[in-house]
Amino acid sequence: MSETIDVLIPTRNRPAALAVTLTALGAQTWPALRIVLADQSDDEGACARGEVQAVLRYLRARGRSVDTFLRARRRGMAEQRAFLLAQARAACCLFVDDDVILEPDLVARLHAVISAERCGLVGSASHGLSYLGQLRPMQEAIEFWDGPVMPETIRPGSPAWARHHLHSAANLFHVQSRLKHERAATRRYKIAWVGGCVMFDTAKLRAAGGFDFWRELPAQHCGEDVLAQQRVMACYGGCAILPSGAYHMELPTTITARAIDAPYVLPLADPPADGVPGPHG
């Protein structure tokens, strides 16, 4: 019997996109998913809209567990993610944004890699297919993990920080299309961070502090996912997978105030001394 994976989704004012993301989760080959929605939409909330209600009924009829929370008070995305993490009960949790389409085997592939590597996180970067054909060779560098995934300390401005360019536009899709003839299995590559679709070892995310740093930020901020990932990677390592199985809907961001960027204003934490095993340890 497959273990349950918690899927944690923050959402605001995107009922149509949320319905698409939820439908993709309903089609996952991984049988045991518990979906948790934290809805900070205006008025009655996205989860009350007809298109979302229809998909929630579909998910429950398919045996997917779904919990929804309407959270009218907004204290920023880090607090929203901290709330979602507090609901997690499974050994692995998958944070998915409300504007991402997932291929049917993606959850299973992410789980296979995080189980084999025993690292802190594994992500699937989302393709922006409106940029297909717009080649950016200077942004298409990729560095594969040849051995086991190991901890890395990544800070703004460091050489490894530039890895994030691979995840812009359709860069990653162009790379994986060129390498298609070489892939017999999922490959792991080095990252600065991954946006939109990241599976964590729940205990390791919590041991690295989770999103508890929300109290150190004003409500208007961005980059909370980046900082949390980099703290996890510094302690336990992390990677992304190729081919990716995630696609970005390329909707306007709902986070419009971006002057306070978490990894630029808060430090990386020291490795936790709590006995949570690191990769391969």
Side-chain angles (χ1 to χ4, degrees):
M1 179 181 295
S2 299
E3 66 178 88
T4 298
I5 295 171
D6 288 331
V7 182
L8 311 176
I9 306 176
T11 190
R12 182 177 180 221
N13 294 343
R14 284 177 168 171
L18 176 62
V20 173
T21 296
L22 291 172
T23 302
L25 287 168
Q28 289 298 302
T29 59
W30 191 267
L33 297 180
R34 171 177 168 260
I35 300 168
V36 183
L37 289 168
D39 185 358
Q40 292 191 315
S41 300
D42 299 329
D43 303 323
E44 60 182 357
C47 290
R49 293 282 296 269
E51 58 267 46
V52 178
Q53 282 289 309
V55 182
L56 294 179
R57 289 191 292 269
Y58 156 72
L59 288 168
R60 289 167 176 146
R62 292 286 309 275
R64 309 295 201 196
S65 172
V66 184
D67 297 328
T68 64
F69 297 89
L70 183 59
R71 310 192 68 235
R73 185 179 180 186
R74 301 184 192 119
R75 292 178 285 186
M77 278 302 303
E79 189 277 338
Q80 172 81 315
R81 292 185 188 275
F83 171 84
L84 282 163
L85 180 58
Q87 314 311 310
R89 303 193 293 257
C92 290
C93 62
L94 175 64
F95 274 89
V96 178
D97 285 356
D98 61 0
D99 60 347
V100 178
I101 303 169
L102 287 69
E103 292 182 354
D105 65 345
L106 181 53
V107 172
R109 292 174 57 224
L110 290 169
H111 186 266
V113 173
I114 203 169
S115 297
E117 293 296 328
R118 298 176 60 194
C119 57
L121 67 89
V122 179
S124 183
S126 55
H127 304 301
L129 295 185
S130 72
Y131 295 89
L132 275 179
Q134 297 184 27
L135 300 179
R136 304 176 180 185
M138 295 298 292
Q139 297 183 358
E140 293 182 1
I142 188 166
E143 186 177 358
F144 292 104
W145 284 99
D146 294 326
V149 174
M150 300 299 292
E152 292 186 285
T153 299
I154 300 171
R155 292 185 171 89
S158 68
W161 186 261
R163 296 172 184 168
H164 75 86
H165 293 298
L166 177 63
H167 295 164
S168 297
N171 296 337
L172 184 64
F173 191 87
H174 295 143
V175 170
Q176 76 177 40
S177 296
R178 287 199 300 272
L179 297 177
K180 185 175 182 180
H181 66 283
E182 299 180 8
R183 67 175 178 93
T186 297
R187 301 185 69 180
R188 305 151 300 127
Y189 67 92
K190 298 182 180 183
I191 56 173
W193 71 85
V194 178
C197 183
V198 181
M199 182 174 290
F200 292 90
D201 178 304
T202 306
K204 290 173 180 173
L205 175 57
R206 286 174 171 151
F211 298 90
D212 290 346
F213 56 80
W214 71 266
R215 297 177 180 85
E216 303 172 57
L217 293 169
Q220 299 295 322
H221 63 259
C222 64
E224 78 296 332
D225 53 342
V226 176
L227 180 60
Q229 289 178 46
Q230 289 172 341
R231 288 181 171 184
V232 169
M233 288 193 291
C235 299
Y236 307 111
C239 67
I241 59 172
L242 189 81
S244 173
Y247 301 83
H248 193 224
M249 296 185 205
E250 303 181 64
L251 302 177
T253 181
T254 58
I255 309 299
T256 55
R258 311 186 75 84
I260 305 300
D261 195 345
Y264 286 89
V265 299
L266 295 178
L268 282 174
D270 293 330
D274 55 13
V276 177
H280 319 289

